[in-house]
Amino acid sequence: MELKDGQYLIDGISVNDLIEKYGSPLFIYDSSRMKLQYQRLFNAFPGIHVQLNFACKSMGNRTVMNLFNRLGSGLDAVSPQEVRLGLLSGFSPDKIMFTPSGVEFEEFEEAINLGVRITLDNLSVLEQFGQTYGSSFPVCIRINPHVMGGGHIKISTGHKGSKFGISLEQIDQIVSIVEKYGIIVEGLHMHTGSDILDPEAFVLSANALYSTAFHFKNLKFLDFGSGFKVPYKPGDYATDVELLGSVIAESFQTFCNEYGRELMLIFEPGKFLVSQAGYLAARVNVVKKTPAAVFAGVNTGLNHLIRPMFYDAYHHIVNISNPEGEKHKYNVVGYICETDTFATDREINDIREGDYLLFLNAGAYCFSMSSNYNGRLRPAEVMVHQGIDYLIRERETFEDLIKKQLQVDLP
Ligand code: LLP
């Protein structure tokens, strides 16, 4: 995004024009940023056969998924619905990895019938898989590496107390089930967490997976999940993917030499690919001065962007209607009947009622975590691609809200 002659532009298109055309609140995505991020990460592991599987839980729009498919990406799907969205948006089944957590066995059967790859993360499920399929389909097994990493406890998934994966201390049980049924283990998986602050966590988890890998003879890939930290605020720490990539590539190569075969290295990025490519535009409904603070109340809330309330996440906010205005401190709050505070004491260019604010990093886990809370409708999504804007999801209507509701006249 750039500021030119008082106008904020996304790939050359004025944000104000987009708001005028599509209304607000509005999610705006920049495909050029997605492509840049994809290529940057893909090229960060010199000499290694790498596959990136876009974690579509971060942004589940079919146009976005199709874009990543055309860039050569695979797909990380966590529900049968994400698998089917992936197939609809053009991914071939072998490029889709179904990696759910704690689901009923029928979901794996559905995924197998759809022809996609599966990751199992529980001993009882592994047993059931062995009984049902034996050596008919290869599987990937998710290991819990016992490494604490992640920007917030709610998004740290690789520590000992986490529900995810099979503990690496249970390796003997895994091996015994695998041998009992002749299960073909084609991959090992782990995911330490999201927004990993300490690069050492990646290294520790990688080492845990390398040592586990020697228990399996037929591996084709190791999947290191994700956790690349993107900057959310000016001057924020971000994972240096080139530096990390060269460290991981070297250790992976050493591992492959010892293992005796060149394996593929898979990552499943969500945030890295789409966080910075997304913007949420909202109108300032009210400016309220109280003895405590000046509130800017916008026409969106935790129903559209829950990250600040859920993870205390910082999202940078720009007043696109008054870029030159003097800066003041504001509490930016949503319109939901709860305390949905986006920012406290935030310095923003003078805000007037009717101004438009732009929330940055609104690509990953924003629309995809949205809801109809308070009976509110979800915004439209627009993709800016090669200097042209495309509507990629219509704004919800009242009809959408009542579509599945049944009003039963109870006796
Ligand atoms: N792979 C697995 C197995 C995952 O569970 C996740 C994220 C990813 C990959 C992608 O991680 P990423 O590249 O986006 O860090 N809603 C939270 C993030 C939850 C992440 C859940 N799993 C947030 O808004 O911060």
Side-chain angles (χ1 to χ4, degrees):
M1 186 170 72
E2 57 169 338
L3 178 61
K4 204 171 159 191
D5 304 329
Q7 291 263 344
Y8 279 93
L9 307 177
I10 295 174
D11 199 10
I13 300 201
S14 145
V15 177
N16 288 313
D17 288 354
L18 291 175
I19 294 169
E20 200 165 306
K21 185 166 171 187
Y22 298 103
S24 80
L26 182 68
F27 279 99
I28 305 164
Y29 306 137
D30 177 0
S31 74
S32 67
R33 189 60 194 261
M34 295 179 188
K35 188 173 172 192
L36 197 78
Q37 296 292 107
Y38 179 85
Q39 287 170 342
R40 186 174 160 210
L41 192 59
F42 187 74
N43 292 324
F45 303 88
I48 299 293
H49 183 191
V50 169
Q51 182 177 307
L52 302 183
N53 288 346
F54 170 50
C56 66
K57 62 176 88 71
S58 62
M59 190 193 273
N61 188 289
R62 282 171 59 188
T63 301
V64 175
M65 287 155 78
N66 180 256
L67 179 88
F68 282 114
N69 173 48
R70 285 193 284 162
L71 288 173
S73 176
L75 195 74
D76 166 37
V78 293
S79 66
Q81 292 69 244
E82 283 192 353
V83 169
R84 288 167 61 192
L85 279 173
L87 292 169
L88 276 177
S89 49
F91 287 91
S92 66
D94 63 315
K95 294 283 282 288
I96 300 179
M97 181 69 83
F98 178 52
T99 306
S101 167
V103 301
E104 69 265 33
F105 194 67
E106 285 70 23
E107 290 203 0
F108 290 107
E109 295 184 311
E110 191 175 344
I112 287 169
N113 290 336
L114 290 168
V116 306
R117 297 176 190 279
I118 59 169
T119 304
L120 308 178
D121 89 331
N122 191 15
L123 288 172
S124 69
V125 174
L126 187 62
E127 181 89 38
Q128 207 169 347
F129 177 88
Q131 283 166 5
T132 316
Y133 294 104
S135 58
S136 320
F137 300 97
V139 295
C140 174
I141 297 177
R142 180 168 181 171
I143 303 292
N144 181 328
H146 292 193
V147 174
M148 182 59 94
H152 189 283
I153 189 66
K154 286 184 186 160
I155 51 176
S156 302
T157 49
H159 60 96
K160 199 171 182 176
S162 153
K163 70 170 182 172
F164 294 97
I166 306 178
S167 163
L168 79 179
E169 286 171 12
Q170 293 172 312
I171 186 66
D172 290 346
Q173 286 160 270
I174 300 176
V175 169
S176 124
I177 298 171
V178 165
E179 284 175 356
K180 184 162 145 199
Y181 298 104
I183 298 171
I184 299 168
V185 181
E186 64 168 353
L188 291 183
H189 175 283
M190 65 163 183
H191 172 69
T192 312
S194 202
D195 277 345
I196 295 177
L197 289 165
D198 182 1
E200 188 60 17
F202 286 98
V203 175
L204 289 175
S205 296
N207 289 342
L209 217 58
Y210 296 147
S211 45
T212 310
F214 289 101
H215 292 275
F216 306 95
K217 298 286 162 256
N218 300 309
L219 292 178
K220 292 190 178 145
F221 62 85
L222 294 186
D223 184 332
F224 284 1
S226 184
F228 307 106
K229 166 97 182 72
V230 296
Y232 278 87
K233 55 177 99 162
D236 203 4
Y237 167 78
T239 308
D240 181 339
V241 292
E242 285 77 19
L243 182 62
L244 180 72
S246 64
V247 172
I248 294 285
E250 197 183 327
S251 70
F252 189 73
Q253 190 58 64
T254 308
F255 159 74
C256 289
N257 294 345
E258 287 171 18
Y259 187 76
R261 197 175 326 143
E262 295 294 311
L263 303 192
M264 184 161 72
L265 179 55
I266 299 181
F267 287 96
E268 302 163 339
K271 278 180 190 158
F272 190 83
L273 298 183
V274 295
S275 176
Q276 294 155 283
Y279 304 84
L280 173 61
R283 192 186 59 237
V284 177
N285 285 336
V286 288
V287 175
K288 182 188 275 192
K289 292 186 177 145
T290 78
V294 183
F295 292 91
V298 289
N299 69 344
T300 183
L302 66 78
N303 52 328
H304 301 153
L305 204 178
I306 201 170
R307 300 191 72 259
M309 303 86 197
F310 212 35
Y311 314 109
D312 299 319
Y314 179 102
H315 282 259
H316 202 60
I317 303 171
V318 177
N319 182 358
I320 58 169
S321 304
N322 194 12
E324 305 297 334
E326 201 181 315
K327 290 206 166 166
H328 302 291
K329 285 190 173 168
Y330 295 95
N331 288 1
V332 179
V333 294
Y335 60 4
I336 290 295
C337 289
E338 284 213 27
T339 305
D340 53 347
T341 304
F342 289 111
T344 306
D345 277 342
R346 182 77 64 84
E347 285 218 332
I348 300 175
N349 298 102
D350 188 37
I351 299 180
R352 298 133 329 165
E353 292 183 354
D355 281 356
Y356 285 95
L357 303 186
L358 202 61
F359 294 76
L360 273 53
N361 287 80
Y365 307 104
C366 295
F367 191 98
S368 67
M369 292 181 77
S370 65
S371 73
N372 289 122
Y373 188 42
N374 278 200
R376 296 279 174 191
L377 306 173
R378 288 184 180 82
E381 294 180 295
V382 167
M383 173 74 95
V384 176
H385 179 66
Q386 296 174 351
I388 300 173
D389 51 286
Y390 299 87
L391 181 65
I392 61 170
R393 188 190 303 261
E394 293 175 3
R395 186 176 298 286
E396 280 184 345
T397 62
F398 183 65
E399 284 62 42
D400 293 319
L401 198 62
I402 58 172
K403 209 185 284 171
K404 292 290 179 190
Q405 283 214 39
L406 303 175
Q407 185 167 328
V408 177
D409 286 328
L410 302 171

